[in-house]
Every structure is written in structure tokens, then in C-alpha cells.
Amino acid sequence: MSKLPPCPKCSSEYTYEDGALLVCPECAHEWSASESSEAPEEGLVIRDSNGNLLADGDTVTVIKDLKVKGSSSVVKVGTKVKNIRLVEGDHDIDCKIPGIGAMGLKSEFVKKG
């Protein structure tokens, strides 16, 4: 018998399989088995504009010209940002952009890679 992962919502260990889904009998949460295997341990799940899971240290590419508040500079489309750090809040990515410096980005304006 294979060990099923605990429920990601309530951490119940009594999960069971129902076709392609895993189900929690305590809170009725349903999720796919592939979701549970790629979810990070710490619970902070941030995805890029294409739905790819982001992690600390990833390299992302800006997909839209972004104006920098309080400055006349612009982060251009195609700018690669290396070694990102994920944080909670409105701007969920902290990074250093070449030529601009440290700033926060929203994950909806970047793609992984």
C-alpha cells in the first residue's frame, strides 16, 4: 500500500484516492496527485504568468514594460532577472535588476526561464 500525502488544507493524514483525485474526508478538499508532488513544503505557492511554479533562486524574464515608481526609468520587456527571492505581499518577488537596483515585482508580469 502506497503512502498518500496529507491534505494540503487541514493536514489530515486520512486522505484517499478517488479516480485521478486525492480527497480529504475531514475538510472535503480535493486535489490532483500531481499538485501535491510539486507543492513546496513551506506553503508559499507563487506562479508566473504561465502558471509555472516559482522558487527562490530562479531566473525570470519580464513580459511587459514596467514603470519604476518614483523614477523615470522603465524595466523593458525581455529583461532577465536572476536569483529571485519569493516573499508574501502585493509584490511577491524581491530581486535586483541590472541598471536599476533592488525592487519588488508581481509574479503576473514575469515568466520562468
Side-chain angles (χ1 to χ4, degrees):
M1 180 175 181
S2 66
K3 175 82 171 113
L4 296 174
C7 175
K9 269 198 165 177
C10 71
S11 300
S12 170
E13 60 187 39
Y14 302 111
T15 57
Y16 63 91
E17 289 180 293
D18 185 20
L21 295 176
L22 297 174
V23 181
C24 174
E26 293 183 4
C27 70
H29 179 66
E30 297 180 353
W31 71 100
S32 70
S34 62
E35 280 180 34
S36 63
S37 64
E38 67 180 51
E41 298 285 322
E42 65 272 2
L44 186 62
V45 177
I46 298 177
R47 297 185 182 271
D48 69 359
S49 61
N50 296 330
N52 297 319
L53 197 61
L54 295 174
D56 285 345
D58 280 348
T59 298
V60 296
T61 304
V62 177
I63 62 166
K64 176 182 177 185
D65 282 349
L66 301 173
K67 295 179 184 176
V68 179
K69 275 190 179 176
S71 173
S72 61
S73 50
V74 175
V75 179
K76 294 286 190 180
V77 170
T79 301
K80 284 205 178 259
V81 182
K82 297 178 184 177
N83 201 19
I84 64 170
R85 196 179 82 207
L86 302 179
V87 294
E88 291 186 34
D90 186 33
H91 291 75
D92 39 23
I93 298 173
D94 276 347
C95 60
K96 287 185 181 177
I97 297 181
I100 294 177
M103 69 182 299
L105 294 174
K106 291 186 178 184
S107 59
E108 62 196 71
F109 299 121
V110 299
K111 67 178 180 178
K112 191 172 184 176

